[in-house]
Amino acid sequence: MAGNRAVTYVGSGKVEVHDIDYPGLELRDGPGVNPANVGRKTPHGVILKNVATNICGSDQHMVRGRTTAPEGLVLGHEITGEVVETGPDVEFVKVGDLCSVPFNISCGRCRNCKSGKTGICLNVNPDRPGSAYGYVDMGGWVGGQAEYVMVPYADWNLLKFPDKDRAMEKILDLTMLSDIFPTGYHGCVSAKVTTGSTVYIAGAGPVGLAAATSAFLLGAAVVIVGDLNADRLAKARSFGCETIDVSQGQPQDQIEQILGVPEVDCAVDAVGFEARGHGPDGAGVEMPASVLNSLMDLTQAGGSIGIPGLYVTGDPSAHEESAKVGSLSLRLGLGWAKSHAFYTGQCPVMQYNRQLMMAILHDRVQIAKNVDATPIPLEDAPKGYADFDHGAAKKFVLDPHGMIKATHPELAVSA
C-alpha cells in the first residue's frame, strides 16, 4: 500500500506536511470529524492519486486562526486526480480516469442535490447543510492537499475529462474547475452579469480574478476590479480589466472617473469577512462589513450583488465582538431602498464545471494565465501558504507526484 503525505493545519499561522493514513472507503475519526460521521462507509467512493490540488483563500482563513478549525486538520478542497481504486458500488467511474472534484461534497440523492443545490446537500454533514473536503465544520471529510484522497459518491461528484492526454496539456487550467473558476463564475451569474454589463469586482485575489475572467466570458462591457495590492491589480489589467486602488479613496469616486457615473450595473464581493476599509485612513483597518456596504453604495438601483466571498458564523479573532459570531453592521436599509438582490453561499460547482471545462478545452478562456497558476511541490506548501498570505499575485497549485512538472517542465518553478 502506498503512503500518504498531506498539508496539515498545526496552529495559527502555520501548516506542515505530515504523513497520514492512506485513504480507505470509510470516514475515520480524526480532527474535525463529526462524531456522527465516524465509521461512515463509502462503498460509492473512489481513491484518487492527486495530480493537482490548489491553495485557496478559504484555506488561509483557517490558517490565520480566523475560524474554529482544530489543529491537525488536513487541508485542501480544490482537487484534480486520477482514479486508482473504486468502491464496489461505483458503476461508471473507472480506474485510470482523470477527474475534477467539486469542492462541495454532495450525495446526489437529497431534495437539494436533485434541484441542483449541491452546495447545501442535506446528507453529508451532520452539523448543517453543505460540506467540503478539509474544511472546518464541514463534516470532517479528509482534505485533498495530499498525495491521495477519498471522494465519496464518485459517480455523482466526479467530472471526468474526456481525453486524458489533452487534459494533462491543460491541467493548470482544468485544476481551477474544482472551485475557483466556478466560484468566480457563480458570483457573476448571481450578480446577473450579461452582454454589455458594467461590473465592479471587489478583490483581486484568485477568486476575484476568476470572477473578472468570468465577467468577460459572460459578455460584460467593462470590468472594474478593486484591491489594495498593486501586483494583483496589475494582473487584472493584464487581461483587460480597469482597476482601482481602494486605499486611495472610496470605490464609487474612482468608478465615476472610469464610467462617468459613480455606479455599476452589478457587483461581486470576492473579499469576504476579512475585509478592510477604504481610503488612506481605512485601508489598514479591518472592517468586515465595508465591502458589502460599499457595494450597496455603488450598485445601481435594482441591481444584483453576488457574494462568493466567504462569511463565517464563528471568527474567534474578529476585531469586533459582534463579528465573532458572524454579525456585521450592514446598511441593509440602503440595499432594501435600492431594491438590491443579494446572493450568498457556496457555489454549486456542478451547475457550471462541465460548461467551463468545455470553454477551457476549446480555448475560449485562459483561466490559469489570468490567475497566474504556479505549480509547486507538495513539500513546499508551507512556503506557498506564507507567500500567498503576504499578497503574492499567484494561484499556487500543489504537484504531489510531479505529474505537472513532467507534463509542463517549463512551469515547474519554486514558490
Side-chain angles (χ1 to χ4, degrees):
M1 180 178 292
N4 199 12
R5 299 274 286 166
V7 180
T8 305
Y9 171 63
V10 294
S12 182
K14 191 175 182 182
V15 300
E16 295 176 354
V17 182
H18 288 175
D19 291 316
I20 66 168
D21 290 339
Y22 186 84
L25 298 176
E26 178 181 334
L27 188 52
R28 305 163 183 153
D29 197 7
V33 181
N34 186 292
N37 259 353
V38 174
R40 184 170 180 165
K41 306 295 185 183
T42 58
H44 42 68
V46 302
I47 309 301
L48 290 187
K49 177 181 180 180
N50 290 335
V51 173
T53 175
N54 315 330
I55 296 175
C56 178
S58 297
D59 299 320
Q60 286 285 20
H61 294 307
M62 291 187 290
V63 173
R64 291 185 189 122
R66 300 302 299 268
T67 72
T68 56
E71 294 183 10
L73 185 72
V74 175
L75 301 172
H77 55 271
E78 299 192 12
I79 307 164
T80 305
E82 179 184 0
V83 178
V84 293
E85 180 183 341
T86 62
D89 291 352
V90 177
E91 185 175 0
F92 303 109
V93 175
K94 306 298 181 185
V95 170
D97 287 347
L98 184 61
C99 304
S100 178
V101 184
F103 80 88
N104 14 55
I105 303 168
S106 57
C107 71
R109 295 153 167 79
C110 70
R111 62 180 292 183
N112 284 348
C113 286
K114 288 182 177 181
S115 61
K117 300 173 183 176
T118 54
I120 44 174
C121 174
L122 300 173
N123 289 332
V124 289
N125 181 4
D127 286 315
R128 60 173 184 246
S131 186
Y133 303 87
Y135 212 84
V136 59
D137 295 333
M138 289 292 186
W141 300 91
V142 178
Q145 286 173 12
E147 293 175 321
Y148 298 91
V149 70
M150 190 271 289
V151 174
Y153 303 102
D155 280 329
W156 165 255
N157 281 308
L158 291 179
L159 173 68
K160 176 185 172 181
F161 300 138
D163 184 307
K164 191 172 181 180
D165 291 337
R166 187 181 177 197
M168 284 303 300
E169 292 174 1
K170 294 180 176 291
I171 193 63
L172 285 177
D173 293 285
L174 293 170
T175 190
M176 304 304 163
L177 293 173
S178 57
D179 178 359
I180 173 181
F181 195 10
T183 293
Y185 193 85
H186 177 63
C188 288
V189 169
S190 56
K192 303 294 190 282
V193 177
T194 187
T195 304
S197 296
T198 58
V199 187
Y200 176 67
I201 296 169
V207 169
L209 296 174
T213 301
S214 301
F216 284 123
L217 194 60
L218 289 164
V222 182
V223 179
I224 305 170
V225 179
D227 203 288
L228 304 163
N229 184 306
D231 291 338
R232 290 178 172 179
L233 291 174
K235 175 55 67 173
R237 288 192 296 274
S238 74
F239 59 92
C241 300
E242 300 284 348
T243 62
I244 61 175
D245 181 348
V246 297
S247 70
Q248 301 304 305
Q250 293 299 319
Q252 58 266 45
D253 296 334
Q254 298 179 66
I255 287 171
E256 185 171 18
Q257 295 173 22
I258 295 169
L259 297 177
V261 292
E263 63 180 17
V264 291
D265 297 331
C266 48
V268 176
D269 173 3
V271 177
F273 72 101
E274 288 192 59
R276 297 184 180 275
H278 301 131
D281 296 327
V285 181
E286 190 167 302
M287 299 180 185
S290 63
V291 168
L292 290 172
N293 286 331
S294 73
L295 297 189
M296 287 185 274
D297 274 330
L298 59 84
T299 301
Q300 68 166 350
S304 296
I305 299 172
I307 311 174
L310 176 66
Y311 289 86
V312 295
T313 57
D315 176 6
S317 299
H319 293 223
E320 302 173 5
E321 281 300 313
S322 59
K324 291 182 179 181
V325 292
S327 294
L328 307 182
S329 300
L330 289 178
R331 295 184 64 196
L332 188 59
L334 174 61
W336 189 93
K338 296 179 74 173
S339 295
H340 285 152
F342 300 84
Y343 294 84
T344 65
Q346 286 188 32
C347 165
V349 171
M350 293 174 68
Q351 286 191 20
Y352 309 109
N353 60 353
R354 184 188 178 278
Q355 299 94 309
L356 294 176
M357 175 188 74
M358 295 301 288
I360 289 169
L361 292 176
H362 292 279
D363 300 317
R364 303 306 301 170
V365 66
Q366 293 182 305
I367 184 64
K369 178 181 177 182
N370 289 0
V371 301
D372 199 2
T374 303
I376 61 174
L378 182 70
E379 299 295 331
D380 286 353
K383 187 175 187 302
Y385 268 93
D387 289 351
F388 188 34
D389 196 41
H390 291 139
K394 298 178 182 294
K395 175 69 171 178
F396 289 109
V397 179
L398 303 178
D399 184 9
H401 295 279
M403 296 174 74
I404 300 173
K405 179 180 178 180
T407 308
H408 302 280
E410 75 283 358
L411 296 173
V413 297
S414 173

